[in-house]
Amino acid sequence: MAQIKDLLLQLFFSLMPFVLYSFYYRDRDTNYTKKFILITSMICLFLSMTFASSVEKGIQFDVRYVILFFALVFGGFRIGLLLMLEFVLYRLYLGGPGTSSAMGMMMVMFPLSVLLCSVYHRTSQKYLVAVMAGLCYSFFPLLLLYINRPDYILTHLTYHILIIPVHNSVGVLLLIYLFEKSATDKDMYLRYLQSEKIEAVGQVAASLVHEVRNPLTTVLGFLKLIRQDQAMPPEKLHRFIDISIEEVKRTEAILSEYLSMSKPLTQKREVIDLAHELEAVAEVMTPYATMNNVSLILHVPSEPVRLSANRAEMKQLLVNFVKNAVEACSAIQKGNVTLRMHTDGLLVKVHIRDNGIGMNKEQLRRLGSIYYSTKNTGTGLGLTYSYQVIRSMNGTVSVFSELHKGTEFTLSLPLASKDPDG
């Protein structure tokens, strides 16, 4: 039973580099480094030798060669050399009658490991080489020990032909297979992220060109007309110039939206009264709603509703939602937008409801995606920015909509923690 326990413990030590890799690199946007291989290998070698299995005092067996082979494969020759140095120093410190035999074995096994590592990198049958390495790590130490201590080997023959091969063969195969698969999957994931970034840049460029080209084409056309018609009446000339100025302003607004998306969200926050902010936004947006023949209705609590946020970002996202709601009602009669706020436990919920054109399932699914808009003249950046701000505050957005009946957005944001001194 004690030998089974030692076996399982050594197998655990042999798999520790994989376990540490899975834990440390799980949420990182980089893959393993040689420094990581060195540190984890040294830790695993130290633990393996400290809690080695043994059937006779002074003669220890562990997964040192498994860790060495792993370090050579994924870290290179220098990492393997440092690991061998660690083994030599620590084995001398541990001492015992098996020290000289252990040193002799390492002098043979290190160059063999380097050779097997070279074969591993050149062949497509990598796992076959790993199995061969495990068998070599079981056979050659057994042979060398038999030459020096045949009585010891014959006394503990079952241990050496069953336990030790499992130590090495299963350990090296599992470690190499699991680590290589995880590292390969991580590499594929990182390449996928990179390709997504490139695709996003392409989408930004294409969207920006599309958005800016139309107003610039309009301005260019009017400038050509002005140049061709030298005797153009002043009122017509002024009208053309006014239209051109409006198109230039539209281009500037589009560029400003793109620039706002490229800026990182600020970490500077303060405790604000969301009820007051929503009232201010409603006051600002009422003329715009009136211009679009839309009624703006506001229901907020009489007491302050405090949350931690950046005031400018919060105001901008509220304006974005209210503006979209107003524009959704602009094409119908008796359009109205209702803004309602209430607290729900540790959250404040803001409901923005309109009775406008509504959205279908496909539009709802894509809502908030970058550069997607339900409006012909929109870029979709306003809602994308708003979603980004809400997520940065650990908030959520839910939306319910029916075609030709209207839409309701519900913003759920965490309330500011109460001051214990207040």
Side-chain angles (χ1 to χ4, degrees):
M1 186 60 69
Q3 292 178 2
I4 298 297
K5 183 179 70 174
D6 288 343
L7 170 64
L8 294 176
L9 186 62
Q10 290 298 317
L11 285 177
F12 171 73
F13 291 143
S14 69
L15 294 178
M16 270 189 69
F18 162 71
V19 175
L20 293 173
Y21 171 83
S22 301
F23 176 76
Y24 185 74
Y25 285 99
R26 180 180 55 189
D27 299 320
R28 293 177 177 266
D29 57 357
T30 56
N31 213 334
Y32 70 89
T33 62
K34 288 187 177 183
K35 182 179 179 181
F36 172 82
I37 298 297
L38 175 62
I39 292 172
T40 54
S41 297
M42 292 184 77
I43 291 171
C44 295
L45 180 62
F46 174 80
L47 291 174
S48 174
M49 292 177 67
T50 302
F51 301 99
S53 62
S54 176
V55 288
E56 187 172 307
K57 188 175 181 180
I59 302 178
Q60 300 177 336
F61 291 92
D62 46 54
V63 288
R64 67 189 72 163
Y65 303 124
V66 173
I67 303 299
L68 176 64
F69 183 67
F70 164 78
L72 285 167
V73 168
F74 295 101
F77 179 77
R78 289 184 179 180
I79 303 297
L81 207 58
L82 289 172
L83 211 64
M84 186 183 73
L85 180 62
E86 179 196 12
F87 164 78
V88 170
L89 294 174
Y90 193 42
R91 190 65 185 87
L92 287 172
Y93 170 78
L94 292 175
T99 302
S100 57
S101 297
M103 295 299 176
M105 288 180 195
M106 181 55 77
M107 293 305 105
V108 174
M109 301 309 295
F110 183 77
L112 179 61
S113 297
V114 173
L115 177 63
L116 288 169
C117 176
S118 176
V119 175
Y120 178 89
H121 286 302
R122 290 200 309 266
T123 184
S124 59
Q125 303 293 327
K126 296 183 181 298
Y127 301 126
L128 180 60
V129 176
V131 172
M132 288 175 56
L135 293 175
C136 289
Y137 295 149
S138 303
F139 174 74
F140 285 107
L142 179 64
L143 179 62
L144 291 172
L145 196 58
Y146 180 76
I147 292 172
N148 294 321
R149 294 281 305 275
D151 55 326
Y152 165 80
I153 292 295
L154 294 174
T155 304
H156 308 289
L157 187 62
T158 303
Y159 175 81
H160 286 284
I161 64 174
L162 292 179
I163 302 297
I164 299 303
V166 173
H167 264 192
N168 296 308
S169 301
V170 176
V172 74
L173 182 60
L174 281 178
L175 176 57
I176 296 298
Y177 172 77
L178 292 174
F179 192 90
E180 171 125 354
K181 188 175 187 310
S182 297
T184 302
D185 290 346
K186 183 73 173 182
D187 194 48
M188 289 176 61
Y189 172 70
L190 294 175
R191 287 203 299 268
Y192 169 74
L193 286 184
Q194 186 64 28
S195 67
E196 270 205 333
K197 289 178 183 177
I198 294 171
E199 185 180 348
V201 170
Q203 288 179 352
V204 172
S207 179
L208 186 58
V209 168
H210 173 74
E211 295 294 337
V212 172
R213 179 183 288 158
N214 291 337
L216 289 183
T217 302
T218 303
V219 171
L220 182 62
F222 281 125
L223 289 176
K224 286 181 178 180
L225 286 174
I226 292 170
R227 187 177 64 179
Q228 290 171 2
D229 191 354
Q230 299 294 331
M232 184 179 293
E235 63 275 8
K236 191 174 183 180
L237 177 62
H238 291 159
R239 187 160 61 87
F240 283 179
I241 292 174
D242 288 341
I243 294 173
S244 297
I245 290 172
E246 288 301 318
E247 290 300 299
V248 170
K249 286 182 178 178
R250 187 156 76 91
T251 303
E252 185 181 15
I254 291 169
L255 293 174
S256 295
E257 279 192 305
Y258 276 83
L259 287 173
S260 70
M261 285 301 298
S262 66
K263 291 178 183 177
L265 296 177
T266 179
Q267 297 300 315
K268 185 179 179 181
R269 293 179 180 173
E270 57 184 315
V271 176
I272 63 172
D273 179 5
L274 189 58
H276 174 73
E277 297 300 326
L278 189 57
E279 286 177 335
V281 168
E283 185 177 352
V284 169
M285 294 303 296
T286 295
Y288 183 73
T290 303
M291 186 177 70
N292 286 275
N293 300 315
V294 176
S295 300
L296 199 57
I297 305 164
L298 178 66
H299 299 287
V300 294
S302 56
E303 66 276 4
V305 178
R306 294 187 174 87
L307 72 161
S308 178
N310 179 273
R311 191 183 301 274
E313 290 176 355
M314 178 56 64
K315 187 170 291 185
Q316 184 59 51
L317 80 86
L318 290 173
V319 166
N320 289 340
F321 279 107
V322 175
K323 182 173 178 287
N324 285 343
V326 169
E327 290 171 352
C329 301
S330 60
I332 66 169
Q333 292 183 346
K334 297 182 180 180
N336 64 74
V337 173
T338 303
L339 309 178
R340 184 167 52 88
M341 178 192 300
H342 66 92
T343 57
D344 183 8
L346 298 177
L347 298 174
V348 56
K349 294 192 175 182
V350 181
H351 302 271
I352 304 163
R353 180 171 180 78
D354 66 70
N355 63 342
I357 57 175
M359 291 178 284
N360 58 35
K361 290 182 179 180
E362 176 62 18
Q363 290 172 321
L364 283 172
R365 187 181 66 82
R366 298 183 62 187
L367 202 63
S369 300
I370 194 163
Y371 313 122
Y372 174 74
S373 175
T374 58
K375 296 176 286 187
N376 294 330
T377 58
T379 62
L381 293 176
L383 269 189
T384 304
Y385 170 81
S386 301
Y387 274 54
Q388 189 177 347
V389 172
I390 291 168
R391 281 195 293 266
S392 74
M393 297 171 60
N394 296 320
T396 59
V397 183
S398 61
V399 56
F400 174 79
S401 185
E402 288 186 78
L403 277 174
H404 312 301
K405 290 186 178 181
T407 302
E408 180 174 358
F409 283 90
T410 301
L411 318 182
S412 301
L413 301 166
L415 291 165
S417 56
K418 294 181 178 180
D419 187 353
D421 298 328

